[in-house]
């Protein structure tokens, strides 16, 4: 498997990953037995994280390669089902696994826009981009931009936008891995981010896309098991059955009653000590109209177009054997993503009920401050500075506005809040680490590949041999990863916020140049460059204006939605400049026609 992977490996993938799944379930059972025998929770948490990271690193080592095609696009031999699993793992980032349910927990109905946007984005990917980019035969997204529009300027601008969007995204994933490592290994968050980075680099550095693909399949299996088990367990205990997805409406109604009882509905209040918010800030089931509906729509739209613009996702469809397989991969991706996203609202609802309901043994609101502070899970998360209980009015009783928790830890803390065996907490930690690592793998690879292939090889040194190109890619992978870990350690924003920014950056600068590159033959180099630069700058300047310069929002467009400013500017600039300048050469227009034909060979022959 080290250099030229035998065809037998591809043919035996169901058997290999079936055995891997069975082995992981056996490992969970062994951990449960050890817990019953008295092995400490800390030891179990360390074993879960260490064992899974070791497995991913081993897969990365076995997948090492010095072949350019294998490093950049996994040899274009990944079957649709497994590419769908790898794409889902690439997609199920720390934001999806760790932060999404926390966002719904604190923000209620409005945060479902993330679910709608991130899932709906794959409709755009399937209908507008994936098959055609695969037919093009490129290695990276800037490779498509540079070849479709011609010239190094368009390629260079695409690399810059890719770098900003992907780097913003990868810092969020390393943030998530640091959060998990700090709790599971009982180390400071600032150290945890470097532990997470080490695992990420071990998975991706030696084997590139080949290694990342096979580790992401393994990581998806871990993360989906880890996400479903506590939800099913809590649902069964609370009386909603073992499949809560269709039956937790009663839990929502009970939360609404409790929210009235606790006078919930105030605006979020930040706690500067932990970067968290009060345990309840907005109504859980509050689909208000007017401006709230506008905010829901615009956030969903930004997430949809960002999905269709993010390079690390589009790269996954370069790895399939054919155009038809690329289409199938999108369908499988949606299925595997659906399993988690359909579960996130149920997890947020059941966890909130665990905290609020005084009829459940885990309810804490209304209990004495001393009792709450003595709870093991409160102490554990307080020790790593992710949770805080403050007796604000001095009455000794915990009120809604006296409990602070970072939204990023809701999923990770759920098993402890629900009083589940600690083996489930270890499992969830392993799943969260898998989610963060799998996305970070893909993002770092997208950045390093774009810089090494599109900047170094295509622009700086076109005569570089294979060995030199791959060495440059690996050095860049390490350097960018270290820079991302350094930025993540500063905690400039929450996980979900950083991810939203990444989507907005990508949508502002890349969405229309990519779409019109396939669907409008008249789009030319000058138009594409104008669209990328104007859209990206407009969105970025608006973000700076409202987030850092204290400016007022325009039409309710906040820092999570700045692509609503950037995308129209990009579209107008691209159309106006393209029509005002010479049309692209006939050979480029003929190439666009050929890209839309799903049959035949790829446009680019990059077998070297």
């Amino acid at each position: 498997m080290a250099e030229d992977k035998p065809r037998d490996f591809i043919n035996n993938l169901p058997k290999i990953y079936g055995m891997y799944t069975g082995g992981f379930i056996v490992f969970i059972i062994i951990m449960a037995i050890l817990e019953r025998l008295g092995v400490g929770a800390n030891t179990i948490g360390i074993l879960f994280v260490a064992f899974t990271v070791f497995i991913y690193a081993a897969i990365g080592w076995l997948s090492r390669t010095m072949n350019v095609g294998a490093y950049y696009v996994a040899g274009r031999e990944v079957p649709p089902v497994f590419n769908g699993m790898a794409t889902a793992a690439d997609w199920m980032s720390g934001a999806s696994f760790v932060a999404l349910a926390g966002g719904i927990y604190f923000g209620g109905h409005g945060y479902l826009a993330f679910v709608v946007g991130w899932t709906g984005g794959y409709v755009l990917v399937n209908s507008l981009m994936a098959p055609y980019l695969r037919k093009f035969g490129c290695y990276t997204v800037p490779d498509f931009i540079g070849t479709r529009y011609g010239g190094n300027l368009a390629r260079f601008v695409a690399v810059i936008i890719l770098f900003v969007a992907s780097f913003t995204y990868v810092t969020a994933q390393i943030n998530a891995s640091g959060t998990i490592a700090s709790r599971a290994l009982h180390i400071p968050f600032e150290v945890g981010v470097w532990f997470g980075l080490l695992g990420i680099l071990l998975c991706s550095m030696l084997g590139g896309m080949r290694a990342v693909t096979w580790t992401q399949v393994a990581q998806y299996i871990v993360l989906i098991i880890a996400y479903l088990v506590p939800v099913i367990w809590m649902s069964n205990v609370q009386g909603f059955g073992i499949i809560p997805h269709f039956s937790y409406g009663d839990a929502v109604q009970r939360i609404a009653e409790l929210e009235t009882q606790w006078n919930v509905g105030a605006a979020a209040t930040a706690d500067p000590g932990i970067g968290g918010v009060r345990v309840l800030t907005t109504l859980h089931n509050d689909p208000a109209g007017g401006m709230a509906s506008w905010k829901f729509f615009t956030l969903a739209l930004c997430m949809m177009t960002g999905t269709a613009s993010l390079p690390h996702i589009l790269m996954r469809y370069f790895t399939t054997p054919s155009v038809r397989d690329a289409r199938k991969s999108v369908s499988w991706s949606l299925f595997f993503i659906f399993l988690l996203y359909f579960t996130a609202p149920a997890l947020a609802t059941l966890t909130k009920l665990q905290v609020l309901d005084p009829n459940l043994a885990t309810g804490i609101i209304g209990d004495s401050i001393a009792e709450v502070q003595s709870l093991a899970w409160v102490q554990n998360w307080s020790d790593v500075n992710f949770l805080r209980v403050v007796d604000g009015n001095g009455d000794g009783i915990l009120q809604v506005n006296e409990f602070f928790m970072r939204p990023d830890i809701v999923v990770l803390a759920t098993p402890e809040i629900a009083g589940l065996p600690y083996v489930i907490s270890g499992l969830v930690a392993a799943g969260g680490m898998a989610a963060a690592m799998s996305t970070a793998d893909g993002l770092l690879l997208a950045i390093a590949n774009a810089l090494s292939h599109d900047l170094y090889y295509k622009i700086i040194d076109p005569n570089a041999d294979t060995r030199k190109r791959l060495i440059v890619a690996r050095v860049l992978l390490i350097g960018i990863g270290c820079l991302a870990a350094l930025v993540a350690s500063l905690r400039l924003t929450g996980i979900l916020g950083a991810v939203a920014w990444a989507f907005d950056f990508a949508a502002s600068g890349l969405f229309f140049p990519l779409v019109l590159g396939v669907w409008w033959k008249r789009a030319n180099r000058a138009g594409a460059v104008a669209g990328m630069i104007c859209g990206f700058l407009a969105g970025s300047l608006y973000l700076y204006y409202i987030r850092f310069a204290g400016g007022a929002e325009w039409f309710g467009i906040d820092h999570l939605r700045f692509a609503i400013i950037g995308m129209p500017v990009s579209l107008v600039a691209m159309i106006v400049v393209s029509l005002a300048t010479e049309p692209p050469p006939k050979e480029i227009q003929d190439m666009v026609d050929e890209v839309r034909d799903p049959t035949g060979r790829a446009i680019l022959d990059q077998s070297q």
Side-chain angles (χ1 to χ4, degrees):
M1 187 170 159
E3 185 52 53
D4 293 318
K5 190 184 306 300
R7 190 67 199 172
D8 286 348
F9 174 78
I10 302 298
N11 295 335
N12 289 323
L13 282 172
K15 179 179 179 181
I16 291 170
Y17 282 105
M19 293 174 61
Y20 165 82
T21 304
F24 181 63
I25 293 172
V26 169
F27 176 76
I28 296 172
I29 294 172
I30 292 173
M31 291 298 100
I33 293 173
L34 290 177
E35 182 176 4
R36 293 295 297 271
L37 293 176
V39 174
N42 293 344
T43 301
I44 291 174
I46 292 171
L47 287 174
F48 257 107
V49 172
F51 175 76
T52 51
V53 171
F54 172 78
I55 293 296
Y56 308 147
I59 295 173
W61 169 259
L62 291 173
S63 301
R64 64 194 184 280
T65 183
M66 288 299 293
N67 179 278
V68 172
Y71 192 90
Y72 284 121
V73 289
R76 303 196 196 276
E77 60 180 3
V78 184
V81 174
F82 292 93
N83 198 53
M85 293 179 74
T87 304
D90 212 346
W91 190 243
M92 292 304 172
S93 64
S96 295
F97 190 100
V98 177
L100 179 58
I104 297 171
Y105 182 107
F106 285 100
H109 174 269
Y111 275 76
L112 289 175
F114 282 105
V115 177
V116 174
W118 286 343
T119 307
Y122 276 87
V123 177
L124 299 181
V125 171
N126 188 43
S127 59
L128 298 178
M129 295 186 188
Y132 312 104
L133 294 181
R134 175 61 187 88
K135 174 64 183 291
F136 203 83
C138 47
Y139 278 166
T140 66
V141 169
D143 206 11
F144 169 78
I145 295 286
T147 307
R148 161 61 179 88
Y149 294 110
N152 287 333
L153 180 58
R155 185 187 298 270
F156 178 75
V157 174
V159 169
I160 296 299
I161 297 172
L162 178 150
F163 179 85
V164 173
S166 298
F167 186 81
T168 304
Y169 203 167
V170 81
T171 58
Q173 306 319 306
I174 296 178
N175 184 330
S177 67
T179 300
I180 297 162
S182 66
R183 172 64 185 92
L185 306 180
H186 293 270
I187 56 179
F189 171 82
E190 292 75 13
V191 177
V193 296
W194 294 99
F195 176 86
L197 175 64
L198 177 61
I200 291 162
L201 293 177
L202 289 173
C203 294
S204 57
M205 186 176 66
L206 296 178
M209 183 60 82
R210 171 191 278 183
V212 165
T213 296
W214 306 128
T215 53
Q216 284 175 339
V217 174
Q219 287 161 338
Y220 179 79
I221 293 169
V222 172
L223 72 87
I224 199 63
I225 292 174
Y227 207 83
L228 290 174
V229 167
V231 177
I232 293 171
W233 195 312
M234 280 194 301
S235 177
N236 192 49
V237 169
Q238 294 180 14
F240 300 109
I242 61 171
I243 303 178
H245 305 73
F246 304 101
S247 59
Y248 68 94
D250 290 341
V252 174
Q253 293 302 115
R254 175 61 177 154
I255 287 173
E257 296 171 2
L258 292 167
E259 286 173 337
T260 301
Q261 177 180 335
W262 301 118
N263 297 317
V264 176
T269 302
D271 176 2
I274 62 170
V277 294
R278 290 174 180 167
V279 67
L280 292 174
T281 58
T282 57
L283 298 177
H284 185 83
N285 187 28
D286 185 28
M291 181 58 72
S293 297
W294 164 249
K295 284 181 171 289
F296 189 100
F297 168 75
T298 51
L299 182 58
L301 179 62
C302 289
M303 297 305 102
M304 285 182 68
T305 52
T307 299
S309 309
L310 279 169
H312 77 292
I313 292 299
L314 297 177
M315 281 174 60
R316 284 249 45 99
Y317 301 106
F318 301 162
T319 65
T320 58
S322 68
V323 173
R324 184 180 182 185
D325 287 333
R327 285 191 182 277
K328 290 181 179 178
S329 289
V330 179
S331 300
W332 281 111
S333 301
L334 268 173
F335 170 73
F336 291 123
I337 290 168
F338 170 80
L339 292 180
L340 189 145
Y341 280 175
F342 193 43
T343 306
L347 176 62
T349 300
L350 297 178
T351 303
K352 182 175 281 190
L353 191 60
Q354 290 282 164
V355 173
L356 280 182
D357 196 340
N359 295 324
L360 296 174
T362 55
I364 60 173
I365 305 301
D367 289 350
S368 74
I369 295 286
E371 289 177 354
V372 173
Q373 290 178 330
S374 68
L375 294 173
W377 68 270
V378 172
Q379 292 178 351
N380 290 336
W381 286 104
S382 297
D383 288 345
V384 290
N385 205 32
F386 286 102
L387 183 151
R388 179 168 296 170
V389 175
V390 179
D391 189 5
N393 60 9
D395 67 352
I397 302 299
L398 182 64
Q399 309 296 326
V400 168
N401 62 351
E402 295 175 335
F403 186 88
F404 296 85
M405 181 166 62
R406 284 184 65 187
D408 299 342
I409 71 167
V410 168
V411 172
L412 301 174
T414 287
E416 295 172 84
I417 294 172
L420 305 183
Y422 191 80
V423 67
I424 306 300
S425 295
L427 174 62
V428 170
M433 186 66 81
M437 288 176 62
S438 61
T439 302
D441 287 338
L443 289 163
L444 284 177
L445 199 63
I447 299 172
N449 286 0
L451 293 177
S452 64
H453 179 74
D454 294 288
L455 186 60
Y456 177 74
Y457 177 59
K458 291 290 187 177
I459 298 177
I460 297 175
D461 187 5
N463 297 317
D465 60 21
T466 298
R467 179 179 178 83
K468 192 172 183 181
R469 291 167 63 186
L470 295 184
I471 288 174
V472 169
R474 286 163 177 157
V475 170
L476 287 168
L477 197 69
I478 296 172
I480 295 163
C482 291
L483 181 61
L486 180 62
V487 173
S489 68
L490 302 177
R491 303 195 212 188
L492 297 178
T493 186
I495 295 172
L496 210 56
V499 169
W501 289 3
F503 280 69
D504 285 318
F505 281 131
S508 295
L510 292 176
F511 180 72
F512 284 113
L514 286 169
V515 171
L516 297 182
V518 174
W519 297 104
W520 189 37
K521 291 192 294 184
R522 185 62 176 78
N524 62 12
R525 180 193 312 166
V529 171
M532 287 188 288
I533 292 176
C534 293
F536 180 74
L537 286 180
S540 300
L541 289 173
Y542 181 78
L543 171 64
Y544 175 79
Y545 170 72
I546 62 170
R547 182 68 172 179
F548 302 105
E553 296 177 3
W554 299 353
F555 311 108
I557 301 171
D558 62 13
H559 70 101
L560 299 179
R561 301 163 171 81
F562 64 83
I564 295 297
I565 302 296
M567 284 193 299
V569 173
S570 174
L571 177 62
V572 171
M574 189 168 179
I575 292 176
V576 170
V577 174
S578 291
L579 293 177
T581 53
E582 294 294 322
K586 184 178 184 302
E587 57 267 24
I588 294 291
Q589 298 191 43
D590 292 342
M591 181 174 64
V592 174
D593 284 332
E594 189 177 351
V595 164
R596 298 176 196 164
D597 181 1
T599 62
R601 297 180 60 185
I603 304 297
L604 299 181
D605 179 10
Q606 302 197 74
S607 59
Q608 73 272 17

